[in-house]
């Protein structure tokens, strides 16, 4: 790769999280990358939510003539609550590739929180694989790890990426906090203690770990489990809910729905009965059988 090509790729990836995801997916996950409207919407949503760190050029998108449900992240809210079905790659994009992409523009401190240490470590190990890949090293020579383990990554500029279970988030601070399925799907519906402990973390532990309240971004990404799960608690807390953009994406749309893409300005319409990610799941028959 020539120096000019490297320069152009660096500019492309910094400008577009979506392009970064497409080209670096397999450095973190050997499985085949499957594109689709959902992937691009994830990427543009993440990039928009991180505008305080990476910048954003305001564009006009006319939604006045749209009928049906409009999902538009441009609500001038600081935090995000994203609710999607299981196995729809939310963790890979928001938790693995997203924080690494932010490092291209700023040495942020990003933390991933999950309900188990095993899941949290898996996220950071994948980030580590991206940063240590030959492709990443060739393009981003200014990003070099001085702490290089599957649980904690730190670069020479002061950026930090780490992953923890929700009971271990003490002594750390975050610029971006990604809460990824804070409750165990297998037990949460029946175990009131599991729900209560997750909400105690959200109310008490997490707020004390924020570096700069004016710039810190909190993302809660999950599948819905019960009315009293984390998303439910956030929605039912009037003061807290005012700080969040809520996005719910069903596997099969029950009504006409428009997705507004804040970076490209596109609007994609799903009709009733359309599938969210047909490129991966087809008509969802197999996934229904697997997860119910």
């Amino acid at each position: 790769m020539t120096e000019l090509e490297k320069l152009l790729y660096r500019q492309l990836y910094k400008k577009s999280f979506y392009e970064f995801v497409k080209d670096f997916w397999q450095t973190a996950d050997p499985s085949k990358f499957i594109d689709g409207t959902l992937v691009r919407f994830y990427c543009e949503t993440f990039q928009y939510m991180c505008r305080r760190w990476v910048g954003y050029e305001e564009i006009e998108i006319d939604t006045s003539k749209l009928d049906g449900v409009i999902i538009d992240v441009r609500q001038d809210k600081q935090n995000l609550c994203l609710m999607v079905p299981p196995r729809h790659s939310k963790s890979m994009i928001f938790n693995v590739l997203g924080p690494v992409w932010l490092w291209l523009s700023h040495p942020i401190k990003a933390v991933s929180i999950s309900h188990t240490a095993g899941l949290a470590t898996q996220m950071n190990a994948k980030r580590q694989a991206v940063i240590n890949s030959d492709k990443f090293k060739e393009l981003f020579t200014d990003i070099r790890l001085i702490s290089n383990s599957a649980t904690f990554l730190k670069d020479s500029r002061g950026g930090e990426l780490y992953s923890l279970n929700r009971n271990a988030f003490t002594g750390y601070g975050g610029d971006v906090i990604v809460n990824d399925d804070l409750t165990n799907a297998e037990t949460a519906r029946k175990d009131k203690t599991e729900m209560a402990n997750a909400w105690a973390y959200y109310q008490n532990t997490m707020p004390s770990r924020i570096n700069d309240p004016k710039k810190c971004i909190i993302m809660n990404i999950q599948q819905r489990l019960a009315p009293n799960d984390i998303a439910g608690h956030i929605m039912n807390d009037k003061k807290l809910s005012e700080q969040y953009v809520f996005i719910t994406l069903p596997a099969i749309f029950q009504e006409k729905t428009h997705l507004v893409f804040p970076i490209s300005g596109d609007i994609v319409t799903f009709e009733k009965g359309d599938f969210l990610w047909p490129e991966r799941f087809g008509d969802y028959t197999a996934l229904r059988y697997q997860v119910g």
Side-chain angles (χ1 to χ4, degrees):
M1 192 181 298
T2 67
E3 291 304 315
L4 177 59
E5 287 173 328
K6 291 179 186 178
L7 175 63
L8 292 175
Y9 273 116
R10 283 195 293 268
Q11 291 177 340
L12 173 66
Y13 295 142
K14 284 185 179 182
K15 184 178 180 181
S16 172
F17 179 40
Y18 176 55
E19 295 297 332
F20 180 81
V21 165
K22 288 193 295 182
D23 287 358
F24 281 88
W25 180 281
Q26 288 193 297
T27 63
D29 190 332
S31 63
K32 181 182 177 182
F33 170 69
I34 302 175
D35 205 350
T37 298
L38 175 65
V39 173
R40 187 160 66 94
F41 183 72
Y42 277 164
C43 293
E44 293 205 13
T45 295
F46 183 90
Q47 184 167 340
Y48 179 82
M49 292 304 302
C50 296
R51 62 196 181 280
R52 290 179 177 85
W53 295 102
V54 299
Y56 175 67
E57 294 182 12
E58 196 75 38
I59 57 176
E60 287 191 21
I61 308 174
D62 185 10
T63 62
S64 61
K65 297 180 181 178
L66 299 179
D67 61 322
V69 176
I70 301 173
I71 297 179
D72 189 349
V73 73
R74 300 171 305 142
Q75 299 176 31
D76 198 29
K77 303 289 182 68
Q78 192 160 334
N79 303 323
L80 173 69
C81 185
L82 174 70
M83 295 156 280
V84 295
R87 301 188 187 175
H88 279 66
S89 293
K90 59 179 174 48
S91 297
M92 184 67 171
I93 293 175
F94 284 86
N95 220 341
V96 175
L97 294 169
V100 174
W101 176 75
L102 286 174
W103 260 16
L104 307 187
S105 299
H106 201 91
I108 57 133
K109 293 176 172 61
V111 56
S112 302
I113 304 294
S114 187
H115 64 273
T116 66
L119 286 174
T121 300
Q122 187 181 65
M123 295 299 103
N124 227 42
K126 289 182 177 182
R127 294 172 180 168
Q128 180 189 34
V130 176
I131 296 169
N132 286 330
S133 68
D134 291 339
K135 185 173 186 177
F136 191 93
K137 287 180 177 179
E138 182 180 15
L139 288 171
F140 303 105
T141 56
D142 59 321
I143 300 176
R144 282 293 174 261
L145 294 174
I146 58 175
S147 179
N148 190 357
S149 72
T151 55
F152 181 78
L153 306 175
K154 183 175 182 178
D155 86 330
S156 57
R157 306 167 304 161
E160 297 175 0
L161 304 177
Y162 49 92
S163 295
L164 304 162
N165 71 58
R166 64 174 191 244
N167 299 319
F169 193 15
T170 55
Y172 297 89
D175 301 317
V176 177
I177 300 173
V178 183
N179 299 293
D180 189 346
D181 283 330
L182 289 177
T183 51
N184 187 322
E186 298 299 321
T187 61
R189 292 184 182 89
K190 307 179 219 177
D191 190 344
K192 292 182 180 179
T193 302
E194 170 78 1
M195 291 292 199
N197 288 342
W199 185 236
Y201 151 80
Y202 215 93
Q203 275 189 310
N204 302 322
T205 305
M206 184 184 68
S208 67
R209 302 291 92 205
I210 292 171
N211 285 339
D212 182 349
K214 293 182 179 178
K215 291 186 73 174
C216 180
I217 304 161
I218 299 170
M219 299 188 188
N220 178 61
I221 58 176
Q222 66 167 89
Q223 55 176 300
R224 286 309 304 270
L225 299 172
N228 65 331
D229 62 10
I230 296 299
H233 275 296
I234 296 172
M235 287 187 278
N236 289 323
D237 186 315
K238 186 176 185 302
K239 186 175 181 180
L240 192 60
S241 65
E242 291 174 351
Q243 303 170 27
Y244 281 79
V245 177
F246 294 94
I247 295 178
T248 301
L249 298 173
I252 303 173
F253 287 87
Q254 301 303 304
E255 53 189 320
K256 188 175 185 178
T257 303
H258 310 277
L259 300 188
V260 179
F261 288 69
I263 306 303
S264 63
D266 294 342
I267 298 173
V268 175
T269 300
F270 290 85
E271 301 291 344
K272 181 179 179 180
D274 283 351
F275 304 116
L276 178 60
W277 199 1
E279 296 87 353
R280 179 174 180 181
F281 294 111
D283 65 0
Y284 280 86
T285 298
L287 188 61
R288 282 182 203 247
Y289 177 76
Q290 292 167 4
V291 303

